Amino acid sequence: RGGGVGGGDDSRRFGPPFLPLDFHHHDPENIEDERLSTYYLSINRNKRSFALDLSHEKGRQIAKDLAKNWADVIVENFKPGTMKKMGLDYEDL
């Protein structure tokens, strides 16, 4: 799951209904609380995300290790040939 720095998935804002980001500690008097759509929360339940800087060898090595040891599927959205240049294409993994 990606979405860029600070942006994230557009479905975070699909609603109503919404829940506060931290609904266990929500202050009902504070209407400025950031909220997430219940749709987003339901489709992303138990998912985790991370970011890697693939412009550095360390980031590419982590990606290779994850692909080898954990991944069932890899989805990427780079221009054609980019994964090959980084050594992360199908043949290299």
Side-chain angles (χ1 to χ4, degrees):
R1 178 186 80 100
V5 177
D9 188 334
D10 285 341
S11 68
R12 291 172 192 249
R13 295 174 292 282
F14 291 176
F18 295 99
L19 286 176
L21 286 177
D22 185 2
F23 56 90
H24 296 292
H25 300 100
H26 174 58
D27 177 3
E29 300 297 318
N30 183 2
I31 61 171
E32 299 299 319
D33 277 346
E34 291 189 50
R35 300 170 185 276
L36 289 175
S37 75
T38 54
Y39 172 76
Y40 171 82
L41 293 170
S42 69
I43 63 171
N44 288 292
R45 183 177 181 186
N46 296 326
K47 291 184 183 177
R48 301 288 185 254
S49 63
F50 61 91
L52 291 176
D53 185 346
L54 298 177
S55 67
H56 295 284
E57 182 56 38
K58 185 174 181 178
R60 292 189 298 271
Q61 187 58 52
I62 292 169
K64 289 176 185 178
D65 292 343
L66 288 169
K68 179 181 177 185
N69 299 310
W70 294 96
D72 294 319
V73 175
I74 297 174
V75 178
E76 56 90 5
N77 193 26
F78 292 108
K79 289 188 260 183
T82 301
M83 292 291 277
K84 177 93 175 141
K85 288 178 189 173
M86 291 189 291
L88 297 172
D89 61 328
Y90 180 83
E91 290 79 16
D92 290 328
L93 296 177

